[in-house]
Tab-separated table of all heavy atoms in Angstrom:
chain	number	residue	atom	x	y	z
A	196	ASN	N	0.807	-1.227	0.000
A	196	ASN	CA	0.000	0.000	0.000
A	196	ASN	C	0.834	1.268	0.000
A	196	ASN	O	0.305	2.367	0.172
A	196	ASN	CB	-0.957	0.005	1.201
A	196	ASN	CG	-0.216	-0.087	2.533
A	196	ASN	OD1	1.013	0.021	2.591
A	196	ASN	ND2	-0.962	-0.310	3.595
A	197	ASN	N	2.147	1.131	-0.190
A	197	ASN	CA	3.018	2.307	-0.149
A	197	ASN	C	3.648	2.594	-1.511
A	197	ASN	O	4.750	3.146	-1.599
A	197	ASN	CB	4.108	2.132	0.910
A	197	ASN	CG	4.920	0.856	0.710
A	197	ASN	OD1	4.693	0.102	-0.240
A	197	ASN	ND2	5.876	0.612	1.605
A	198	LEU	N	2.963	2.226	-2.589
A	198	LEU	CA	3.456	2.471	-3.938
A	198	LEU	C	2.792	3.712	-4.528
A	198	LEU	O	1.659	4.055	-4.170
A	198	LEU	CB	3.186	1.261	-4.836
A	198	LEU	CG	3.738	-0.087	-4.373
A	198	LEU	CD1	3.318	-1.184	-5.345
A	198	LEU	CD2	5.255	-0.039	-4.234
A	199	ASP	N	3.481	4.367	-5.459
A	199	ASP	CA	2.912	5.539	-6.119
A	199	ASP	C	1.999	5.163	-7.287
A	199	ASP	O	1.164	5.965	-7.704
A	199	ASP	CB	4.026	6.449	-6.654
A	199	ASP	CG	4.778	7.172	-5.543
A	199	ASP	OD1	4.224	7.294	-4.437
A	199	ASP	OD2	5.922	7.614	-5.798
A	200	GLY	N	2.180	3.969	-7.838
A	200	GLY	CA	1.402	3.554	-8.991
A	200	GLY	C	0.112	2.858	-8.607
A	200	GLY	O	-0.191	2.633	-7.420
A	201	LEU	N	-0.658	2.497	-9.631
A	201	LEU	CA	-1.929	1.814	-9.460
A	201	LEU	C	-1.925	0.523	-10.275
A	201	LEU	O	-1.320	0.463	-11.343
A	201	LEU	CB	-3.088	2.691	-9.961
A	201	LEU	CG	-3.260	4.064	-9.335
A	201	LEU	CD1	-4.310	4.858	-10.110
A	201	LEU	CD2	-3.664	3.946	-7.868
A	202	SER	N	-2.624	-0.478	-9.802
A	202	SER	CA	-2.812	-1.680	-10.610
A	202	SER	C	-3.781	-1.361	-11.745
A	202	SER	O	-4.854	-0.794	-11.518
A	202	SER	CB	-3.375	-2.818	-9.759
A	202	SER	OG	-3.776	-3.894	-10.595
A	203	VAL	N	-3.397	-1.730	-12.962
A	203	VAL	CA	-4.280	-1.504	-14.107
A	203	VAL	C	-5.231	-2.679	-14.325
A	203	VAL	O	-5.985	-2.694	-15.302
A	203	VAL	CB	-3.468	-1.234	-15.399
A	203	VAL	CG1	-2.544	-0.043	-15.210
A	203	VAL	CG2	-2.677	-2.475	-15.831
A	204	LYS	N	-5.215	-3.639	-13.425
A	204	LYS	CA	-6.102	-4.796	-13.558
A	204	LYS	C	-7.562	-4.390	-13.717
A	204	LYS	O	-8.276	-4.978	-14.550
A	204	LYS	CB	-5.923	-5.728	-12.357
A	204	LYS	CG	-6.750	-7.002	-12.423
A	204	LYS	CD	-6.479	-7.894	-11.205
A	204	LYS	CE	-7.341	-9.147	-11.224
A	204	LYS	NZ	-7.079	-10.000	-10.033
A	205	PRO	N	-8.068	-3.399	-12.975
A	205	PRO	CA	-9.462	-2.996	-13.185
A	205	PRO	C	-9.739	-2.509	-14.606
A	205	PRO	O	-10.829	-2.751	-15.140
A	205	PRO	CB	-9.656	-1.863	-12.173
A	205	PRO	CG	-8.654	-2.141	-11.103
A	205	PRO	CD	-7.470	-2.703	-11.821
A	206	LEU	N	-8.780	-1.837	-15.232
A	206	LEU	CA	-8.960	-1.394	-16.611
A	206	LEU	C	-8.998	-2.579	-17.565
A	206	LEU	O	-9.742	-2.576	-18.545
A	206	LEU	CB	-7.828	-0.450	-17.018
A	206	LEU	CG	-7.739	0.885	-16.296
A	206	LEU	CD1	-6.561	1.695	-16.846
A	206	LEU	CD2	-9.029	1.678	-16.435
A	207	MET	N	-8.191	-3.583	-17.287
A	207	MET	CA	-8.176	-4.774	-18.124
A	207	MET	C	-9.515	-5.498	-18.046
A	207	MET	O	-10.071	-5.921	-19.058
A	207	MET	CB	-7.047	-5.706	-17.695
A	207	MET	CG	-5.658	-5.107	-17.868
A	207	MET	SD	-4.341	-6.127	-17.150
A	207	MET	CE	-4.407	-7.577	-18.212
A	208	LYS	N	-10.058	-5.615	-16.855
A	208	LYS	CA	-11.331	-6.303	-16.688
A	208	LYS	C	-12.460	-5.477	-17.269
A	208	LYS	O	-13.378	-6.001	-17.894
A	208	LYS	CB	-11.578	-6.577	-15.201
A	208	LYS	CG	-10.523	-7.489	-14.586
A	208	LYS	CD	-10.820	-7.818	-13.147
A	208	LYS	CE	-11.840	-8.930	-13.032
A	208	LYS	NZ	-12.028	-9.387	-11.648
A	209	ALA	N	-12.375	-4.141	-17.095
A	209	ALA	CA	-13.417	-3.283	-17.638
A	209	ALA	C	-13.443	-3.349	-19.156
A	209	ALA	O	-14.509	-3.388	-19.778
A	209	ALA	CB	-13.203	-1.837	-17.180
A	210	SER	N	-12.256	-3.400	-19.765
A	210	SER	CA	-12.192	-3.483	-21.222
A	210	SER	C	-12.750	-4.816	-21.712
A	210	SER	O	-13.467	-4.876	-22.707
A	210	SER	CB	-10.742	-3.314	-21.689
A	210	SER	OG	-10.272	-2.031	-21.360
A	211	ALA	N	-12.400	-5.867	-20.999
A	211	ALA	CA	-12.891	-7.188	-21.397
A	211	ALA	C	-14.417	-7.264	-21.296
A	211	ALA	O	-15.071	-7.965	-22.058
A	211	ALA	CB	-12.253	-8.258	-20.520
A	212	GLU	N	-14.956	-6.489	-20.345
A	212	GLU	CA	-16.404	-6.495	-20.153
A	212	GLU	C	-17.072	-5.340	-20.905
A	212	GLU	O	-18.258	-5.093	-20.741
A	212	GLU	CB	-16.711	-6.378	-18.661
A	212	GLU	CG	-16.181	-7.554	-17.855
A	212	GLU	CD	-16.085	-7.236	-16.368
A	212	GLU	OE1	-16.472	-6.116	-15.981
A	212	GLU	OE2	-15.627	-8.112	-15.612
A	213	ALA	N	-16.263	-4.597	-21.702
A	213	ALA	CA	-16.767	-3.454	-22.474
A	213	ALA	C	-17.411	-2.430	-21.558
A	213	ALA	O	-18.425	-1.816	-21.887
A	213	ALA	CB	-17.736	-3.904	-23.552
A	214	GLY	N	-16.840	-2.243	-20.402
A	214	GLY	CA	-17.384	-1.276	-19.452
A	214	GLY	C	-16.416	-0.141	-19.170
A	214	GLY	O	-15.286	-0.140	-19.645
A	215	GLU	N	-16.852	0.827	-18.412
A	215	GLU	CA	-16.025	1.967	-18.035
A	215	GLU	C	-15.896	1.991	-16.523
A	215	GLU	O	-16.865	1.755	-15.796
A	215	GLU	CB	-16.662	3.274	-18.529
A	215	GLU	CG	-16.652	3.441	-20.030
A	215	GLU	CD	-15.300	3.905	-20.546
A	215	GLU	OE1	-14.530	4.469	-19.754
A	215	GLU	OE2	-15.018	3.701	-21.734
A	216	LYS	N	-14.711	2.278	-16.041
A	216	LYS	CA	-14.507	2.413	-14.609
A	216	LYS	C	-13.730	3.698	-14.356
A	216	LYS	O	-12.916	4.114	-15.178
A	216	LYS	CB	-13.758	1.208	-14.038
A	216	LYS	CG	-14.555	-0.086	-14.131
A	216	LYS	CD	-14.025	-1.137	-13.177
A	216	LYS	CE	-14.921	-2.365	-13.195
A	216	LYS	NZ	-14.521	-3.379	-12.204
A	217	PRO	N	-13.967	4.355	-13.228
A	217	PRO	CA	-13.242	5.595	-12.929
A	217	PRO	C	-11.742	5.341	-12.906
A	217	PRO	O	-11.278	4.284	-12.462
A	217	PRO	CB	-13.764	5.978	-11.540
A	217	PRO	CG	-15.071	5.259	-11.400
A	217	PRO	CD	-14.920	3.989	-12.172
A	218	TRP	N	-10.986	6.325	-13.376
A	218	TRP	CA	-9.537	6.182	-13.430
A	218	TRP	C	-8.890	7.532	-13.180
A	218	TRP	O	-9.574	8.566	-13.105
A	218	TRP	CB	-9.117	5.596	-14.785
A	218	TRP	CG	-7.671	5.185	-14.864
A	218	TRP	CD1	-6.703	5.725	-15.640
A	218	TRP	CD2	-7.038	4.151	-14.101
A	218	TRP	NE1	-5.496	5.084	-15.438
A	218	TRP	CE2	-5.677	4.111	-14.490
A	218	TRP	CE3	-7.478	3.250	-13.128
A	218	TRP	CZ2	-4.747	3.219	-13.937
A	218	TRP	CZ3	-6.561	2.362	-12.580
A	218	TRP	CH2	-5.219	2.353	-12.981
A	219	ARG	N	-7.576	7.547	-13.057
A	219	ARG	CA	-6.862	8.799	-12.811
A	219	ARG	C	-7.060	9.776	-13.976
A	219	ARG	O	-7.263	9.381	-15.125
A	219	ARG	CB	-5.374	8.523	-12.600
A	219	ARG	CG	-4.700	7.901	-13.807
A	219	ARG	CD	-3.177	8.099	-13.778
A	219	ARG	NE	-2.495	7.354	-12.733
A	219	ARG	CZ	-1.891	6.176	-12.885
A	219	ARG	NH1	-1.934	5.566	-14.075
A	219	ARG	NH2	-1.259	5.601	-11.890
A	220	HIS	N	-6.899	11.047	-13.670
A	220	HIS	CA	-7.037	12.081	-14.698
A	220	HIS	C	-5.835	12.101	-15.624
A	220	HIS	O	-5.977	12.251	-16.850
A	220	HIS	CB	-7.189	13.448	-14.026
A	220	HIS	CG	-7.202	14.598	-14.984
A	220	HIS	ND1	-6.078	15.360	-15.238
A	220	HIS	CD2	-8.172	15.098	-15.757
A	220	HIS	CE1	-6.372	16.294	-16.128
A	220	HIS	NE2	-7.637	16.161	-16.454
A	221	ALA	N	-4.646	11.949	-15.059
A	221	ALA	CA	-3.423	12.035	-15.865
A	221	ALA	C	-2.315	11.239	-15.201
A	221	ALA	O	-2.309	11.040	-13.981
A	221	ALA	CB	-2.985	13.494	-16.022
A	222	VAL	N	-1.375	10.767	-16.020
A	222	VAL	CA	-0.196	10.068	-15.511
A	222	VAL	C	0.992	11.016	-15.587
A	222	VAL	O	1.057	11.883	-16.472
A	222	VAL	CB	0.063	8.760	-16.294
A	222	VAL	CG1	0.505	9.053	-17.724
A	222	VAL	CG2	1.056	7.867	-15.568
A	223	MET	N	1.949	10.851	-14.687
A	223	MET	CA	3.021	11.827	-14.509
A	223	MET	C	4.378	11.303	-14.984
A	223	MET	O	4.697	10.127	-14.852
A	223	MET	CB	3.113	12.216	-13.026
A	223	MET	CG	4.146	13.274	-12.694
A	223	MET	SD	3.900	13.986	-11.040
A	223	MET	CE	3.866	12.499	-10.017
A	224	SER	N	5.175	12.230	-15.534
A	224	SER	CA	6.578	11.982	-15.862
A	224	SER	C	7.392	13.132	-15.293
A	224	SER	O	6.934	14.282	-15.273
A	224	SER	CB	6.786	11.897	-17.378
A	224	SER	OG	5.969	10.904	-17.959
A	225	ILE	N	8.611	12.828	-14.839
A	225	ILE	CA	9.457	13.833	-14.186
A	225	ILE	C	10.842	13.803	-14.808
A	225	ILE	O	11.428	12.729	-14.993
A	225	ILE	CB	9.540	13.561	-12.668
A	225	ILE	CG1	8.155	13.732	-12.035
A	225	ILE	CG2	10.553	14.492	-12.001
A	225	ILE	CD1	8.105	13.354	-10.572
A	226	TYR	N	11.358	14.984	-15.127
A	226	TYR	CA	12.707	15.089	-15.703
A	226	TYR	C	13.479	16.122	-14.909
A	226	TYR	O	13.363	17.322	-15.124
A	226	TYR	CB	12.615	15.493	-17.170
A	226	TYR	CG	13.946	15.598	-17.888
A	226	TYR	CD1	14.938	14.632	-17.733
A	226	TYR	CD2	14.205	16.666	-18.745
A	226	TYR	CE1	16.138	14.724	-18.399
A	226	TYR	CE2	15.415	16.768	-19.428
A	226	TYR	CZ	16.375	15.793	-19.245
A	226	TYR	OH	17.576	15.890	-19.905
A	227	GLY	N	14.260	15.663	-13.946
A	227	GLY	CA	14.952	16.571	-13.051
A	227	GLY	C	14.005	17.079	-11.976
A	227	GLY	O	12.782	17.016	-12.097
A	228	ARG	N	14.558	17.594	-10.919
A	228	ARG	CA	13.753	18.041	-9.776
A	228	ARG	C	12.864	19.229	-10.160
A	228	ARG	O	13.340	20.255	-10.625
A	228	ARG	CB	14.684	18.421	-8.622
A	228	ARG	CG	13.986	18.718	-7.322
A	228	ARG	CD	14.957	18.916	-6.199
A	228	ARG	NE	15.920	19.973	-6.476
A	228	ARG	CZ	16.578	20.646	-5.535
A	228	ARG	NH1	16.392	20.343	-4.263
A	228	ARG	NH2	17.446	21.579	-5.861
A	229	GLY	N	11.559	19.068	-9.986
A	229	GLY	CA	10.632	20.170	-10.190
A	229	GLY	C	10.073	20.315	-11.585
A	229	GLY	O	9.274	21.222	-11.834
A	230	ASN	N	10.440	19.435	-12.512
A	230	ASN	CA	9.950	19.529	-13.889
A	230	ASN	C	9.033	18.341	-14.159
A	230	ASN	O	9.469	17.193	-14.134
A	230	ASN	CB	11.122	19.537	-14.865
A	230	ASN	CG	12.137	20.602	-14.521
A	230	ASN	OD1	11.812	21.786	-14.452
A	230	ASN	ND2	13.384	20.189	-14.281
A	231	VAL	N	7.753	18.637	-14.448
A	231	VAL	CA	6.721	17.613	-14.487
A	231	VAL	C	5.927	17.693	-15.781
A	231	VAL	O	5.584	18.782	-16.247
A	231	VAL	CB	5.751	17.780	-13.293
A	231	VAL	CG1	4.613	16.776	-13.379
A	231	VAL	CG2	6.492	17.623	-11.980
A	232	SER	N	5.629	16.539	-16.349
A	232	SER	CA	4.741	16.429	-17.500
A	232	SER	C	3.571	15.546	-17.102
A	232	SER	O	3.774	14.459	-16.557
A	232	SER	CB	5.487	15.821	-18.695
A	232	SER	OG	4.730	15.910	-19.868
A	233	LEU	N	2.360	16.022	-17.339
A	233	LEU	CA	1.152	15.277	-17.010
A	233	LEU	C	0.377	14.997	-18.289
A	233	LEU	O	0.089	15.912	-19.060
A	233	LEU	CB	0.287	16.074	-16.035
A	233	LEU	CG	0.843	16.207	-14.610
A	233	LEU	CD1	0.143	17.330	-13.872
A	233	LEU	CD2	0.680	14.899	-13.849
A	234	ARG	N	0.028	13.741	-18.508
A	234	ARG	CA	-0.653	13.336	-19.741
A	234	ARG	C	-2.030	12.764	-19.409
A	234	ARG	O	-2.152	11.749	-18.710
A	234	ARG	CB	0.184	12.299	-20.480
A	234	ARG	CG	-0.427	11.791	-21.793
A	234	ARG	CD	-0.599	12.898	-22.821
A	234	ARG	NE	-0.596	12.373	-24.183
A	234	ARG	CZ	-1.672	11.953	-24.857
A	234	ARG	NH1	-2.874	11.987	-24.281
A	234	ARG	NH2	-1.545	11.507	-26.106
A	235	SER	N	-3.063	13.429	-19.881
A	235	SER	CA	-4.427	12.916	-19.762
A	235	SER	C	-4.803	12.269	-21.092
A	235	SER	O	-3.958	12.079	-21.967
A	235	SER	CB	-5.394	14.048	-19.408
A	235	SER	OG	-5.496	14.962	-20.494
A	236	GLU	N	-6.071	11.956	-21.276
A	236	GLU	CA	-6.479	11.386	-22.559
A	236	GLU	C	-6.433	12.426	-23.673
A	236	GLU	O	-6.187	12.088	-24.830
A	236	GLU	CB	-7.884	10.792	-22.447
A	236	GLU	CG	-7.931	9.508	-21.630
A	236	GLU	CD	-9.240	8.777	-21.786
A	236	GLU	OE1	-9.545	8.316	-22.909
A	236	GLU	OE2	-9.971	8.652	-20.784
């Protein structure tokens, strides 16, 4: 329970069932201290 990431298993099951489940708004990338890129859909 001390990880920064999330299991994508719910997305895999939702896709297999052709359903939608709530998910994060954006995923993060960091290049050097204080420089952040956030990617949404």
